[in-house]
Amino acid sequence: MDFFEVVRRRRSIRRFRKEEVPQESVDRMLKAAFKAPSSRGRRPWHFIVVKDREMLERLSQAKQGGGAKGLEEASVGIVLVAEERRSGVWVEDLSVAATYLLLSATALGLGSFWIQIRGRYRENGESSEEYVKDLLGIPPGYRVLSIIAVGLPGEVKEPHGEDEYIPEQVHQERW
Ligand SMILES: Cc1cc2nc3c(=O)[nH]c(=O)nc-3n(C[C@H](O)[C@H](O)[C@H](O)COP(=O)(O)O)c2cc1C
């Protein structure tokens, strides 16, 4: 699929079919993410690939408001973790890598969506990040940005359209 077609078709897919995502597809997504640009080429990222159903279920409770619920049905959750001291701009570094994962999933015919963990909270007021770190044994000095849920698409969404381009938000030469 042409790159711009991938960009057009990428939507947040939160319902998944039961079939598992082939390991080869997960590997291709991860290999793409490692090619993402990062500040000073520091690549501060670590990826935790979670397939265990019970763990996915527990991770789906990482934040209030149901924003992580789709993980219950996902085949894989890829948790994006940064070594904090390796980059002062790890949020940006990991966000780019996360975007590579999302676009790769679309290119491979998979559904995916971003679950924000950093700066989010659970129903009981606990930090989502601490909850995920505890569950997955992530050591001190490492931060959790997000989880990318991946699976065979269980819902169909319209691709993005040209009407989403807003000329008023594009400025030529200066504001
Ligand atoms: C930084 C960021 C955080 C997001 N957090 C969540 C989330 O926690 N749960 C969720 O279901 N979707 C989340 N999303 C997905 C957005 O809701 C989604 O991208 C947006 O509504 C546009 O829809 P689309 O992805 O289908 O184009 C997040 C996206 C970004 C970029």
Side-chain angles (χ1 to χ4, degrees):
M1 209 189 303
D2 159 65
F3 174 75
F4 292 98
E5 189 57 16
V6 173
V7 170
R8 199 176 76 85
R9 288 203 198 176
R10 187 218 52 80
R11 294 295 315 273
S12 292
I13 297 299
R14 302 182 178 90
R15 302 300 312 266
F16 301 103
R17 303 204 303 270
K18 285 212 183 322
E19 299 102 289
E20 284 188 10
V21 169
Q23 183 57 43
E24 190 201 344
S25 298
V26 177
D27 291 341
R28 289 186 77 186
M29 288 174 62
L30 290 167
K31 284 180 180 167
F34 273 89
K35 294 183 177 69
S38 62
S39 175
R40 300 177 182 169
R42 291 274 169 85
R43 298 178 209 161
W45 45 64
H46 287 250
F47 302 91
I48 305 180
V49 179
V50 179
K51 294 182 176 175
D52 181 76
R53 288 249 62 83
E54 201 177 307
M55 186 57 89
L56 289 172
E57 165 79 33
R58 289 161 87 179
L59 288 171
S60 78
Q61 295 160 26
K63 61 189 293 188
Q64 60 190 3
K69 221 180 151 355
L71 257 183
E72 283 172 354
E73 287 185 8
S75 171
V76 187
I78 303 178
V79 184
L80 280 90
V81 181
E83 186 181 352
E84 193 169 17
R85 59 167 191 185
R86 202 140 135 198
S87 171
V89 290
W90 63 269
V91 173
E92 289 82 349
D93 293 334
L94 265 65
S95 296
V96 181
T99 305
Y100 273 47
L101 290 176
L102 296 173
L103 290 170
S104 300
T106 303
L108 291 164
L110 302 170
S112 66
F113 76 104
W114 177 313
I115 297 161
Q116 181 67 22
I117 296 298
R118 186 186 68 89
R120 296 290 185 257
Y121 295 88
R122 304 186 67 221
E123 316 284 353
N124 64 3
E126 182 189 2
S127 132
S128 300
E129 205 181 330
E130 288 310 312
Y131 175 77
V132 171
K133 284 178 76 169
D134 278 357
L135 275 182
L136 298 174
I138 298 169
Y142 290 80
R143 301 290 305 272
V144 181
L145 177 78
S146 62
I147 304 174
I148 304 299
V150 189
L152 276 296
E155 62 177 334
V156 177
K157 286 192 174 175
E158 278 295 305
H160 288 283
E162 289 307 316
D163 55 331
E164 283 162 281
Y165 177 78
I166 305 171
E168 291 75 23
Q169 288 177 223
V170 179
H171 307 263
Q172 304 296 340
E173 310 295 353
R174 55 172 294 162
W175 185 264

PDB file of all heavy atoms in Angstrom, residues 10-12 14 63 67-68 113-116 157 160, ligand 1:
ATOM      1  N   ARG A  10      -5.460   4.893   8.099  1.00  0.00           N
ATOM      2  CA  ARG A  10      -5.225   4.646   9.532  1.00  0.00           C
ATOM      3  C   ARG A  10      -6.305   5.301  10.375  1.00  0.00           C
ATOM      4  O   ARG A  10      -6.509   6.489  10.332  1.00  0.00           O
ATOM      5  CB  ARG A  10      -3.837   5.170   9.968  1.00  0.00           C
ATOM      6  CG  ARG A  10      -3.513   4.752  11.421  1.00  0.00           C
ATOM      7  CD  ARG A  10      -2.798   5.848  12.163  1.00  0.00           C
ATOM      8  NE  ARG A  10      -3.484   7.124  12.091  1.00  0.00           N
ATOM      9  CZ  ARG A  10      -4.550   7.463  12.856  1.00  0.00           C
ATOM     10  NH1 ARG A  10      -5.024   6.647  13.769  1.00  0.00           N
ATOM     11  NH2 ARG A  10      -5.145   8.650  12.695  1.00  0.00           N
ATOM     12  N   ARG A  11      -7.028   4.497  11.113  1.00  0.00           N
ATOM     13  CA  ARG A  11      -8.036   4.981  12.048  1.00  0.00           C
ATOM     14  C   ARG A  11      -7.825   4.254  13.380  1.00  0.00           C
ATOM     15  O   ARG A  11      -7.216   3.200  13.417  1.00  0.00           O
ATOM     16  CB  ARG A  11      -9.456   4.659  11.542  1.00  0.00           C
ATOM     17  CG  ARG A  11      -9.884   5.379  10.256  1.00  0.00           C
ATOM     18  CD  ARG A  11      -9.978   6.883  10.428  1.00  0.00           C
ATOM     19  NE  ARG A  11     -10.646   7.307  11.633  1.00  0.00           N
ATOM     20  CZ  ARG A  11     -11.973   7.477  11.756  1.00  0.00           C
ATOM     21  NH1 ARG A  11     -12.758   7.261  10.710  1.00  0.00           N
ATOM     22  NH2 ARG A  11     -12.494   7.874  12.891  1.00  0.00           N
ATOM     23  N   SER A  12      -8.336   4.840  14.445  1.00  0.00           N
ATOM     24  CA  SER A  12      -8.259   4.142  15.736  1.00  0.00           C
ATOM     25  C   SER A  12      -9.286   3.025  15.749  1.00  0.00           C
ATOM     26  O   SER A  12     -10.493   3.291  15.755  1.00  0.00           O
ATOM     27  CB  SER A  12      -8.536   5.124  16.880  1.00  0.00           C
ATOM     28  OG  SER A  12      -7.486   6.052  16.970  1.00  0.00           O
ATOM     29  N   ARG A  14     -10.789  -0.004  17.806  1.00  0.00           N
ATOM     30  CA  ARG A  14     -10.862  -0.408  19.228  1.00  0.00           C
ATOM     31  C   ARG A  14     -11.633  -1.698  19.433  1.00  0.00           C
ATOM     32  O   ARG A  14     -11.800  -2.140  20.558  1.00  0.00           O
ATOM     33  CB  ARG A  14     -11.481   0.724  20.053  1.00  0.00           C
ATOM     34  CG  ARG A  14     -10.713   2.033  19.948  1.00  0.00           C
ATOM     35  CD  ARG A  14     -11.317   3.117  20.819  1.00  0.00           C
ATOM     36  NE  ARG A  14     -10.550   4.357  20.762  1.00  0.00           N
ATOM     37  CZ  ARG A  14     -10.755   5.333  19.889  1.00  0.00           C
ATOM     38  NH1 ARG A  14     -11.713   5.221  18.984  1.00  0.00           N
ATOM     39  NH2 ARG A  14      -9.999   6.435  19.911  1.00  0.00           N
ATOM     40  N   LYS A  63      -6.663   2.964  33.151  1.00  0.00           N
ATOM     41  CA  LYS A  63      -7.098   4.369  33.238  1.00  0.00           C
ATOM     42  C   LYS A  63      -8.597   4.491  33.364  1.00  0.00           C
ATOM     43  O   LYS A  63      -9.326   3.583  32.955  1.00  0.00           O
ATOM     44  CB  LYS A  63      -6.573   5.155  32.045  1.00  0.00           C
ATOM     45  CG  LYS A  63      -7.052   4.648  30.700  1.00  0.00           C
ATOM     46  CD  LYS A  63      -6.326   5.322  29.559  1.00  0.00           C
ATOM     47  CE  LYS A  63      -6.681   6.793  29.487  1.00  0.00           C
ATOM     48  NZ  LYS A  63      -6.143   7.419  28.275  1.00  0.00           N
ATOM     49  N   GLY A  67     -10.882   4.446  28.434  1.00  0.00           N
ATOM     50  CA  GLY A  67      -9.970   4.728  27.316  1.00  0.00           C
ATOM     51  C   GLY A  67      -9.011   3.598  26.984  1.00  0.00           C
ATOM     52  O   GLY A  67      -8.345   3.629  25.954  1.00  0.00           O
ATOM     53  N   ALA A  68      -8.930   2.581  27.872  1.00  0.00           N
ATOM     54  CA  ALA A  68      -8.030   1.454  27.608  1.00  0.00           C
ATOM     55  C   ALA A  68      -8.808   0.162  27.400  1.00  0.00           C
ATOM     56  O   ALA A  68      -8.234  -0.903  27.258  1.00  0.00           O
ATOM     57  CB  ALA A  68      -7.050   1.284  28.777  1.00  0.00           C
ATOM     58  N   PHE A 113      -4.862   1.078  18.151  1.00  0.00           N
ATOM     59  CA  PHE A 113      -5.121   2.408  18.710  1.00  0.00           C
ATOM     60  C   PHE A 113      -4.174   2.698  19.857  1.00  0.00           C
ATOM     61  O   PHE A 113      -3.566   1.801  20.432  1.00  0.00           O
ATOM     62  CB  PHE A 113      -6.594   2.607  19.111  1.00  0.00           C
ATOM     63  CG  PHE A 113      -7.027   1.929  20.389  1.00  0.00           C
ATOM     64  CD1 PHE A 113      -7.206   2.667  21.563  1.00  0.00           C
ATOM     65  CD2 PHE A 113      -7.281   0.569  20.424  1.00  0.00           C
ATOM     66  CE1 PHE A 113      -7.627   2.066  22.739  1.00  0.00           C
ATOM     67  CE2 PHE A 113      -7.709  -0.047  21.602  1.00  0.00           C
ATOM     68  CZ  PHE A 113      -7.883   0.706  22.760  1.00  0.00           C
ATOM     69  N   TRP A 114      -4.041   3.988  20.128  1.00  0.00           N
ATOM     70  CA  TRP A 114      -3.107   4.522  21.131  1.00  0.00           C
ATOM     71  C   TRP A 114      -3.835   4.642  22.459  1.00  0.00           C
ATOM     72  O   TRP A 114      -4.920   5.231  22.532  1.00  0.00           O
ATOM     73  CB  TRP A 114      -2.653   5.892  20.640  1.00  0.00           C
ATOM     74  CG  TRP A 114      -1.744   6.721  21.498  1.00  0.00           C
ATOM     75  CD1 TRP A 114      -1.852   6.987  22.824  1.00  0.00           C
ATOM     76  CD2 TRP A 114      -0.591   7.439  21.040  1.00  0.00           C
ATOM     77  NE1 TRP A 114      -0.837   7.815  23.221  1.00  0.00           N
ATOM     78  CE2 TRP A 114      -0.050   8.117  22.150  1.00  0.00           C
ATOM     79  CE3 TRP A 114       0.029   7.586  19.788  1.00  0.00           C
ATOM     80  CZ2 TRP A 114       1.078   8.929  22.050  1.00  0.00           C
ATOM     81  CZ3 TRP A 114       1.141   8.395  19.698  1.00  0.00           C
ATOM     82  CH2 TRP A 114       1.661   9.046  20.818  1.00  0.00           C
ATOM     83  N   ILE A 115      -3.250   4.123  23.524  1.00  0.00           N
ATOM     84  CA  ILE A 115      -3.813   4.295  24.864  1.00  0.00           C
ATOM     85  C   ILE A 115      -2.833   5.151  25.655  1.00  0.00           C
ATOM     86  O   ILE A 115      -1.696   4.724  25.925  1.00  0.00           O
ATOM     87  CB  ILE A 115      -4.012   2.923  25.548  1.00  0.00           C
ATOM     88  CG1 ILE A 115      -5.035   2.098  24.753  1.00  0.00           C
ATOM     89  CG2 ILE A 115      -4.465   3.096  27.006  1.00  0.00           C
ATOM     90  CD1 ILE A 115      -4.975   0.620  25.046  1.00  0.00           C
ATOM     91  N   GLN A 116      -3.258   6.339  26.002  1.00  0.00           N
ATOM     92  CA  GLN A 116      -2.381   7.262  26.730  1.00  0.00           C
ATOM     93  C   GLN A 116      -2.239   6.810  28.183  1.00  0.00           C
ATOM     94  O   GLN A 116      -3.237   6.569  28.862  1.00  0.00           O
ATOM     95  CB  GLN A 116      -2.959   8.683  26.667  1.00  0.00           C
ATOM     96  CG  GLN A 116      -2.131   9.722  27.373  1.00  0.00           C
ATOM     97  CD  GLN A 116      -0.781   9.961  26.685  1.00  0.00           C
ATOM     98  OE1 GLN A 116      -0.608   9.672  25.500  1.00  0.00           O
ATOM     99  NE2 GLN A 116       0.185  10.481  27.432  1.00  0.00           N
ATOM    100  N   LYS A 157     -14.011   1.469   9.803  1.00  0.00           N
ATOM    101  CA  LYS A 157     -14.188   2.924   9.900  1.00  0.00           C
ATOM    102  C   LYS A 157     -13.847   3.558   8.562  1.00  0.00           C
ATOM    103  O   LYS A 157     -12.973   3.078   7.846  1.00  0.00           O
ATOM    104  CB  LYS A 157     -13.281   3.493  10.989  1.00  0.00           C
ATOM    105  CG  LYS A 157     -13.762   3.177  12.384  1.00  0.00           C
ATOM    106  CD  LYS A 157     -13.006   4.004  13.404  1.00  0.00           C
ATOM    107  CE  LYS A 157     -13.592   3.793  14.799  1.00  0.00           C
ATOM    108  NZ  LYS A 157     -12.800   4.485  15.815  1.00  0.00           N
ATOM    109  N   HIS A 160      -9.799   8.560   6.406  1.00  0.00           N
ATOM    110  CA  HIS A 160      -9.779  10.017   6.525  1.00  0.00           C
ATOM    111  C   HIS A 160     -10.083  10.653   5.171  1.00  0.00           C
ATOM    112  O   HIS A 160      -9.783  10.081   4.128  1.00  0.00           O
ATOM    113  CB  HIS A 160      -8.415  10.491   7.017  1.00  0.00           C
ATOM    114  CG  HIS A 160      -8.200  10.171   8.464  1.00  0.00           C
ATOM    115  ND1 HIS A 160      -8.788  10.904   9.468  1.00  0.00           N
ATOM    116  CD2 HIS A 160      -7.486   9.205   9.078  1.00  0.00           C
ATOM    117  CE1 HIS A 160      -8.435  10.389  10.639  1.00  0.00           C
ATOM    118  NE2 HIS A 160      -7.644   9.353  10.438  1.00  0.00           N
TER     119      HIS A 160
HETATM  120  C1  LIG B   1      -1.568  11.331  22.415  1.00  0.00           C
HETATM  121  C2  LIG B   1      -2.775  10.485  22.103  1.00  0.00           C
HETATM  122  C3  LIG B   1      -3.470   9.888  23.143  1.00  0.00           C
HETATM  123  C4  LIG B   1      -4.571   9.069  22.877  1.00  0.00           C
HETATM  124  N1  LIG B   1      -5.154   8.407  23.916  1.00  0.00           N
HETATM  125  C5  LIG B   1      -6.163   7.545  23.654  1.00  0.00           C
HETATM  126  C6  LIG B   1      -6.680   6.737  24.696  1.00  0.00           C
HETATM  127  O1  LIG B   1      -6.207   6.748  25.832  1.00  0.00           O
HETATM  128  N2  LIG B   1      -7.712   5.905  24.399  1.00  0.00           N
HETATM  129  C7  LIG B   1      -8.256   5.831  23.142  1.00  0.00           C
HETATM  130  O2  LIG B   1      -9.207   5.064  22.949  1.00  0.00           O
HETATM  131  N3  LIG B   1      -7.761   6.571  22.115  1.00  0.00           N
HETATM  132  C8  LIG B   1      -6.721   7.408  22.334  1.00  0.00           C
HETATM  133  N4  LIG B   1      -6.155   8.121  21.306  1.00  0.00           N
HETATM  134  C9  LIG B   1      -6.707   7.996  19.944  1.00  0.00           C
HETATM  135  C10 LIG B   1      -7.505   9.252  19.553  1.00  0.00           C
HETATM  136  O3  LIG B   1      -8.698   9.289  20.288  1.00  0.00           O
HETATM  137  C11 LIG B   1      -7.759   9.214  18.028  1.00  0.00           C
HETATM  138  O4  LIG B   1      -6.533   9.201  17.350  1.00  0.00           O
HETATM  139  C12 LIG B   1      -8.578  10.408  17.564  1.00  0.00           C
HETATM  140  O5  LIG B   1      -9.882  10.376  18.099  1.00  0.00           O
HETATM  141  C13 LIG B   1      -8.689  10.479  16.033  1.00  0.00           C
HETATM  142  O6  LIG B   1      -9.260   9.316  15.494  1.00  0.00           O
HETATM  143  P1  LIG B   1      -8.463   8.405  14.442  1.00  0.00           P
HETATM  144  O7  LIG B   1      -7.245   7.852  15.136  1.00  0.00           O
HETATM  145  O8  LIG B   1      -9.417   7.314  14.038  1.00  0.00           O
HETATM  146  O9  LIG B   1      -8.029   9.258  13.278  1.00  0.00           O
HETATM  147  C14 LIG B   1      -5.025   8.905  21.536  1.00  0.00           C
HETATM  148  C15 LIG B   1      -4.318   9.501  20.494  1.00  0.00           C
HETATM  149  C16 LIG B   1      -3.187  10.265  20.771  1.00  0.00           C
HETATM  150  C17 LIG B   1      -2.375  10.833  19.614  1.00  0.00           C
END
